[in-house]
CSV table of all heavy atoms in Angstrom, one decimal:
chain,number,residue,atom,x,y,z
A,228,SER,N,229.8,-66.6,53.2
A,228,SER,CA,229.1,-65.5,53.9
A,228,SER,C,227.9,-64.8,53.1
A,228,SER,O,227.0,-64.4,53.7
A,228,SER,CB,230.0,-64.4,54.4
A,228,SER,OG,230.8,-63.9,53.3
A,590,GLY,N,249.6,-53.0,39.1
A,590,GLY,CA,249.6,-51.5,39.4
A,590,GLY,C,248.6,-51.1,40.4
A,590,GLY,O,248.8,-50.4,41.4
A,826,GLY,N,270.7,-68.0,29.2
A,826,GLY,CA,270.3,-68.6,27.9
A,826,GLY,C,268.9,-68.1,27.5
A,826,GLY,O,268.7,-67.8,26.3
Side-chain angles (χ1 to χ4, degrees):
S228 54

